[in-house]
Each structure stands twice: as structure tokens, then as C-alpha cells.
């Protein structure tokens, strides 16, 4: 099958990116993410003659901006002055209270947020250029698909850390996970039957990317430079976070997986919907 090799390459590169983020290997995460976005940019579904040139450029531009955002974020991660050794509380406090480090971090987070906003703009314009009937189907799918997608994203983000304390045991967490994921599968099946597969998938991807952009803006706002030398509460929080046993970075791995999945779903679904002969069902 002609599409088997691109699919295997996408899956392999995505796994490399997620595993690299999970275990703290920034270059593995960066290479895997760039390969995924590059394969999507040259995928036959995107570069096919049936896809309008303007739509193709918008989709590829969005992928390029997403790759730039990832490189900027992971570049800062790789430039840690502590290397592979975990920092002590005093070293970390000295770093995060340094005005130069605060300014650099803020500019990095601001650049990432701007790139993700532009990604949403590019893909949003590409979606807005779809034929009216297909655009209407996406619009009708967004309320249902978007709400269920957001709830599921929040649940999955809390799954590694906060849910055991909330529900009391791993068994209760597992049962809740089955209910949430089962409910999401039911909602997506209903959306596909009602609005079509491609519009529903486009709505899922757009929701994921819009959520990521909003979180990046929030991170940029929170990272703005502030004097911290005399903030005893802030420094105590850092000491506590260093004292907690560290392990795989599930949160970063989840963020990388969500961004790559959101980009793939949005780009491929939008490319399919933009072709003259595509069907929405």
C-alpha cells in the first residue's frame, strides 16, 4: 500500500518524540517532532494536485511554525546550565531569581506562544476557506466534539498525578478512566455519524491546538520577569519541588503527543475536505 511507509514513519517518529520528552532527551524529542511535522508537510494528502495551492501553503506554514515553536522550547530545555545532574534547591533558587534568566525564559515562552497563535491562524484560515457545506459541518461538530475533547484532555493531563488522591485508589481511577474514554468514544462515534468523519476529526484537532495555544499564552504571562529575591513563599515552593522524587516527565510527553496528534488530525482532515471530490461522510 502506498501510504504504509509514511504512516509507519509518522508513528515511529511520534514515538521517538514522546519517549524523548518522557525521559528527558530533548534532541530525541526534537528530531522526532520535526520528522513528524515534515512528513505531514509533504504527505500526498497535503501536496496532492486536488488540494488548492493556497490551502496547501497555509497547512505547510502552520506545520513550519509548529516546528519552530518546538525547536525554541526544546532548545531552552537543552540549554539547562545543570546538565544531566538534578540541581539542588539553592542552585535552582539562584537560577530562577536571576533577572537575566527570567528575561530569557519570558522571551522564549512569548516566542512559543506567538508561534502557536500563528499556527491556529494558519489552520483556521485554511478551514475557513473550505466549501460552505463542509465548513458548516465542522461548525456544527465543534460544540459537541470540542467539549468532550477538552474534558478528556483535562482528565488525561491529571491522570499521572492528581487522580489517585481524588478517587482514593488505582481501581477507582481505572474505572473512571474507562468511563471517560468510553464516553469520549461514544461521543466521537455519534459525531461521525451525524457530521461525517473528516469534519469531526478536524474539530478534534482544532480543539487540541487551540487549547495548546491558550496554555502557551498563559505560560508566557506567568513567566514575565518579576523580582523574586525576597519572595520566601516562592523559594519555599522551589525547595519542596526539588525535594519531591523525580521520575519520567509524563506532563511534557503528554503535551508533545497532544500537539503532534492535533496537528496531524487538523492538517490531514482539512486537506481532505479541501479537495473537490472528497466526501464528508
Amino acid at each position: 500500500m502506498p501510504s504504509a511507509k509514511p504512516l509507519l514513519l509518522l508513528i515511529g517518529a511520534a514515538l521517538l518524540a514522546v519517549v524523548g520528552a518522557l525521559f528527558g532527551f530533548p534532541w530525541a524529542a526534537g528530531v522526532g517532532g520535526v520528522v513528524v511535522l515534515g512528513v505531514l508537510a509533504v504527505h500526498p494528502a497535503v501536496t496532492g494536485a486536488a488540494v488548492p495551492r493556497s490551502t496547501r501553503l497555509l497547512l505547510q506554514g502552520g506545520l513550519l511554525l509548529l516546528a519552530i515553536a518546538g525547536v525554541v522550547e526544546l532548545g531552552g530545555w537543552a540549554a539547562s546550565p545543570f546538565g544531566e545532574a538534578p540541581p539542588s534547591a539553592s542552585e535552582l533558587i539562584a537560577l530562577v531569581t536571576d533577572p537575566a534568566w527570567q528575561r530569557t525564559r519570558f522571551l522564549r515562552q512569548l516566542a512559543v506562544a506567538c508561534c502557536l497563535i500563528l499556527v491556529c491562524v494558519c489552520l483556521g484560515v485554511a478551514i475557513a476557506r473550505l466549501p460552505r457545506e463542509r465548513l458548516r459541518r465542522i461548525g456544527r461538530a465543534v460544540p459537541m466534539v470540542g467539549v468532550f475533547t477538552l474534558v478528556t484532555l483535562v482528565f488525561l493531563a491529571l491522570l499521572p498525578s492528581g487522580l489517585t488522591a481524588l478517587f482514593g485508589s488505582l481501581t477507582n481511577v481505572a474505572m473512571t478512566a474507562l468511563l471517560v474514554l468510553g464516553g469520549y468514544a461514544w461521543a466521537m462515534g455519534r459525531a461521525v455519524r451525524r457530521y461525517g468523519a473528516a469534519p469531526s476529526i478536524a474539530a478534534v484537532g482544532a480543539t487540541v491546538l487551540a487549547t495548546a495555544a491558550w496554555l502557551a499564552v498563559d505560560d508566557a504571562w506567568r513567566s514575565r520577569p518579576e523580582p523574586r529575591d525576597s519572595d520566601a513563599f516562592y523559594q519555599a515552593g522551589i525547595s519542596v519541588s526539588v525535594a519531591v522524587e523525580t521520575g519520567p516527565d509524563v506532563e511534557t510527553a503528554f503535551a508533545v503527543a497532544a500537539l503532534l496528534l492535533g496537528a496531524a488530525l487538523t492538517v490531514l482532515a482539512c486537506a481532505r475536505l479541501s479537495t473537490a471530490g472528497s466526501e464528508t461522510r
Side-chain angles (χ1 to χ4, degrees):
M1 183 180 295
S3 61
K5 289 183 178 179
L7 179 60
L8 290 176
L9 183 57
L10 278 173
I11 294 174
L15 287 175
L16 177 64
V18 173
V19 171
L22 183 64
F23 294 104
F25 302 123
W27 298 115
V31 168
V34 169
V35 170
V36 170
L37 299 174
V39 171
L40 288 173
V42 299
H43 194 280
V46 176
T47 59
V51 180
R53 185 172 182 271
S54 58
T55 299
R56 181 168 63 250
L57 292 177
L58 285 168
L59 297 178
Q60 292 173 334
L63 292 170
L64 176 61
L65 287 165
L66 187 56
I68 293 173
V71 169
V72 171
E73 182 68 27
L74 292 174
W77 182 18
S80 170
F82 304 112
E84 296 183 357
S88 65
S90 59
E91 289 174 331
L92 193 56
I93 290 173
L95 178 67
V96 300
T97 56
D98 178 41
W101 180 88
Q102 289 185 352
R103 183 170 57 255
T104 300
R105 180 171 180 266
F106 172 68
L107 292 175
R108 182 183 301 116
Q109 294 299 107
L110 184 62
V112 170
C114 290
C115 285
L116 289 180
I117 290 173
L118 291 175
V119 169
C120 291
V121 170
C122 287
L123 299 183
V125 172
I127 291 174
R129 293 175 57 86
L130 293 174
R132 183 172 300 178
E133 176 57 29
R134 297 169 190 176
L135 180 60
R136 188 179 297 117
R137 284 180 178 271
I138 294 177
R140 289 200 292 257
V142 163
M144 178 181 181
V145 171
V147 169
F148 276 90
T149 299
L150 283 174
V151 170
T152 305
L153 285 175
V154 171
F155 177 83
L156 292 176
L158 293 175
L159 189 59
S161 56
L163 292 181
T164 302
L166 180 62
F167 292 104
S169 70
L170 289 176
T171 302
N172 292 339
V173 172
M175 293 298 295
T176 305
L178 288 175
L179 288 174
V180 172
L181 297 178
Y184 186 67
W186 172 83
M188 284 303 301
R190 186 176 177 85
V192 168
R193 290 190 298 271
R194 179 176 295 182
Y195 309 114
S200 300
I201 290 172
V204 171
T207 300
V208 172
L209 292 176
T211 303
W214 182 82
L215 291 175
V217 171
D218 183 64
D219 285 343
W221 173 255
R222 292 175 183 273
S223 67
R224 65 193 187 280
E226 293 181 1
R228 297 287 191 178
D229 292 333
S230 59
D231 192 338
F233 181 77
Y234 180 74
Q235 295 183 15
I238 294 174
S239 300
V240 170
S241 67
V242 172
V244 175
E245 183 180 357
T246 58
D249 192 349
V250 179
E251 182 179 349
T252 301
F254 176 74
V256 169
L259 276 173
L260 294 179
L261 181 61
L265 294 177
T266 308
V267 167
L268 295 178
C270 184
R272 176 174 175 77
L273 289 169
S274 66
T275 58
S278 69
E279 296 293 335
T280 56
R281 286 190 178 273

